[in-house]
Amino acid sequence: MSIVTVQLGQCGNQIGYEVFNAICSDFHSTRGICSKKENESYQEACKERFFSEEKTGVPVARAVLVDMEPKVISQTLSMAARSGHWKYDHQSHFCQKQGSGNNWANGYSVHGPRYRDVIMNLVQKEAEKCDRLSGFFTVMSMAGGTGSGMGAYVTQCLRDAFPTSFILNQVIWPYGTGEVIVQNYNSVLTLSHLYQSSDALLVHENDAIHKICAQLMNIKKISFRDVNQVIAHQLGSVFQPTYSSEGASQYSRSPLGDLMESLVPHPELKMLGLRNIPQMSENSLAYSTFTWPGLIKHLRQMLIAHAKMEEGIDWQVRPPLPGHPVPPKASPNQALHFNTSVANLVVLRGKDVQSVDLGGFRDPALYTSWLNPQEAFHIWKTPRAFNKYEKSASLVSNSQFLLQLMDNIVGKAWNMFASKAYVHQYTKFGIEEEDFLDCFTTLEQVISSYASL
């Protein structure tokens, strides 16, 4: 089944390009110990999922590109075409000559309704190219104007137009030091609206990815493209074809459906985080070897200790002993020593995947008490390696990983709102104070739900 990607705003278009580039690079490689038949099966599943094909034989991304300014879309279309390996459909994009000025309300209340019909017509045409539509993957910033405001509006339109299709929003959490003065407002408005329309939100934190670039990839001058390529690698490591059940003879055909079934057992709990190991520079990789027990040990500890990367993990954190539950947290601001999970998915790629022992992830102590651990943990695997790594493991987790960040951003936004700071910039575009209050209420409920796991 196919996924239609909707790239929204500067951030969404730049990341979307890197995702398709990473997928296409993997598509053309023959890494791993796969037979020719298995490689062909993998490539066929990948192509059906992400690309259609023109008579020229060049794969065409199943994507719609949206931005209120033309520069980034023009660059994105050009870079893809120049690669020679894949391209975008030049009819599947929409841009104007004025941006949303980092104003969420301008994107949501003005540009969204004004251009709804033309954008949704592009989406409908792309969906009609799919023999079988799995759903939509939207890529967007959480704190900007076009990406977040218009992205929230477009997601709502997708839900109305395709009520039975899955929608996964990939959102970029802003730098904690601040990118724009109103980013906390924008983030609260984006998250609360997406929570009403989306089946799940897959969150990447800019600060965490920046650390990976600096400490693991050894990049001295980190650019946005460096950050985006790390994000794209992590997304590709999950969304490229895998076998989603033991003994399966065919690659999974419904990636979004399988993801939701594995990780979202309750509509109130749908915040997903992604970790991937190993990640390192080409120079370091040449002198490194990996074993599955070592990779799995690190990945499990990253989960329970709330670590974003394999460097600097707190190895003192342990799951609670049977009969000794984790003491209730006084508030989400209290230090998260142990990260309780709703559900986890581990994706293994490369040599000897069939022999990997994942029993540590089935420990009932890792999970909330109301879900059977057998239903809370899933494994996808393939003997085909991904990117440059002979063995790699990814973890998609529905857990408390965002609890403290959410509480912080809601608290900062509330303090600004209580003093009416910058509220006029939103009310002049139709977002009233009652709308803000509704959004705060929605997110306080989400925070409460995760805090009580």
Side-chain angles (χ1 to χ4, degrees):
M1 298 179 81
S2 303
I3 299 171
V4 173
T5 300
V6 184
Q7 303 176 187
L8 294 145
Q10 176 178 336
C11 173
N13 279 291
Q14 290 175 336
I15 292 174
Y17 163 79
E18 297 295 351
V19 171
F20 281 109
N21 217 35
I23 286 169
C24 196
S25 174
D26 178 59
F27 173 85
H28 286 293
S29 78
T30 53
R31 296 184 181 91
I33 55 169
C34 299
S35 64
K36 181 181 178 183
K37 182 179 178 182
E38 186 153 336
N39 260 321
E40 288 174 352
S41 173
Y42 181 93
Q43 290 170 339
E44 183 184 332
C46 170
K47 186 171 151 188
E48 179 194 21
R49 197 168 284 192
F50 296 108
F51 297 97
S52 55
E53 194 169 312
E54 288 189 341
K55 292 177 183 177
T56 59
V58 178
V60 181
R62 299 186 188 276
V64 174
L65 292 69
V66 178
D67 200 0
M68 288 296 100
E69 296 174 286
K71 182 179 177 182
V72 171
I73 284 185
S74 177
Q75 290 173 339
T76 302
L77 294 173
S78 176
M79 286 191 299
R82 284 202 310 267
S83 76
H85 297 298
W86 69 283
K87 63 182 180 178
Y88 288 105
D89 184 340
H90 275 258
Q91 304 300 315
S92 292
H93 71 273
F94 174 81
C95 59
Q96 291 293 291
K97 297 195 183 299
Q98 80 283 2
S100 300
N102 284 320
N103 189 304
W104 191 94
N106 194 11
Y108 183 84
S109 298
V110 179
H111 290 150
R114 181 180 294 166
Y115 303 118
R116 171 194 167 120
D117 289 347
V118 64
I119 293 170
M120 291 308 294
N121 282 338
L122 292 175
V123 171
Q124 183 67 42
K125 287 177 183 175
E126 203 58 49
E128 288 172 358
K129 295 178 189 175
C130 305
D131 291 336
R132 296 177 300 167
L133 178 65
S134 176
F136 298 93
F137 179 53
T138 71
V139 189
M140 56 193 278
S141 163
M142 198 171 80
T146 299
S148 59
M150 196 162 185
Y153 184 86
V154 169
T155 302
Q156 196 174 300
C157 294
L158 289 173
R159 174 51 67 221
D160 293 340
F162 300 91
T164 60
S165 296
F166 294 106
I167 301 175
L168 175 65
N169 288 95
Q170 195 266 342
V171 292
I172 303 300
W173 199 279
Y175 286 101
T177 51
E179 297 173 40
V180 294
I181 192 69
V182 292
Q183 72 176 34
N184 297 313
Y185 279 162
N186 292 348
S187 298
V188 165
L189 291 162
T190 301
L191 284 175
S192 59
H193 280 77
L194 292 182
Y195 233 79
Q196 311 301 323
S197 307
S198 177
D199 291 295
L201 284 71
L202 180 58
V203 178
H204 275 94
E205 302 165 51
N206 265 338
D207 286 313
I209 302 300
H210 200 93
K211 271 188 176 180
I212 290 172
C213 289
Q215 297 179 27
L216 300 185
M217 310 298 287
N218 296 319
I219 301 170
K220 303 304 178 192
K221 293 183 179 178
I222 300 167
S223 67
F224 281 122
R225 186 162 191 196
D226 293 325
V227 170
N228 293 342
Q229 285 177 345
V230 170
I231 293 171
H233 170 78
Q234 292 194 351
L235 291 170
S237 74
V238 173
F239 287 112
Q240 281 293 67
T242 55
Y243 299 110
S244 57
S245 60
E246 284 295 333
S249 59
Q250 284 191 325
Y251 282 108
S252 163
R253 294 291 182 180
S254 181
L256 293 183
D258 289 345
L259 193 76
M260 303 307 169
E261 183 181 357
S262 300
L263 291 169
V264 190
H266 193 287
E268 188 69 42
L269 301 162
K270 51 185 173 184
M271 301 289 282
L272 308 181
L274 174 53
R275 296 162 176 82
N276 172 267
I277 57 172
Q279 288 195 134
M280 59 179 59
S281 67
E282 293 275 5
N283 290 341
S284 299
L285 186 62
Y287 300 98
S288 303
T289 57
F290 306 100
T291 65
W292 282 120
L295 290 174
I296 299 307
K297 180 180 178 181
H298 278 75
L299 195 63
R300 182 178 184 270
Q301 193 64 22
M302 286 167 68
L303 168 67
I304 64 177
H306 188 52
K308 311 293 169 57
M309 58 184 186
E310 60 263 43
E311 194 171 287
I313 300 173
D314 184 351
W315 290 94
Q316 302 304 310
V317 180
R318 292 283 184 269
L321 296 170
H324 296 78
V326 179
K329 300 173 180 66
S331 79
N333 279 322
Q334 188 172 324
L336 256 179
H337 296 297
F338 175 73
N339 180 34
T340 305
S341 297
V342 177
N344 291 306
L345 165 68
V346 169
V347 184
L348 304 176
R349 298 180 182 274
K351 196 174 174 183
D352 302 324
V353 288
Q354 300 304 328
S355 63
V356 180
D357 179 10
L358 289 164
F361 280 94
R362 294 188 172 90
D363 182 352
L366 301 185
Y367 300 95
T368 184
S369 59
W370 52 263
L371 196 63
N372 185 330
Q374 300 306 313
E375 298 170 6
F377 177 62
H378 294 80
I379 309 161
W380 297 354
K381 58 179 73 169
T382 174
R384 199 179 193 277
F386 179 70
N387 203 325
K388 58 196 176 186
Y389 302 103
E390 182 185 60
K391 297 173 181 150
S392 63
S394 301
L395 169 69
V396 191
S397 178
N398 185 346
S399 66
Q400 295 174 316
F401 80 109
L402 268 181
L403 185 56
Q404 198 163 347
L405 280 172
M406 279 183 74
D407 195 60
N408 287 343
I409 217 164
V410 170
K412 289 176 183 176
W414 177 257
N415 288 338
M416 287 176 64
F417 180 75
S419 61
K420 299 291 188 283
Y422 301 100
V423 172
H424 67 282
Q425 292 190 10
Y426 294 80
T427 55
K428 71 180 179 181
F429 289 114
I431 301 297
E432 303 299 337
E433 292 187 16
E434 291 78 8
D435 298 319
F436 273 99
L437 292 172
D438 288 344
C439 292
F440 283 122
T441 301
T442 296
L443 292 190
E444 288 291 356
Q445 180 57 52
V446 175
I447 290 168
S448 174
S449 296
Y450 274 103
S452 63
L453 289 178

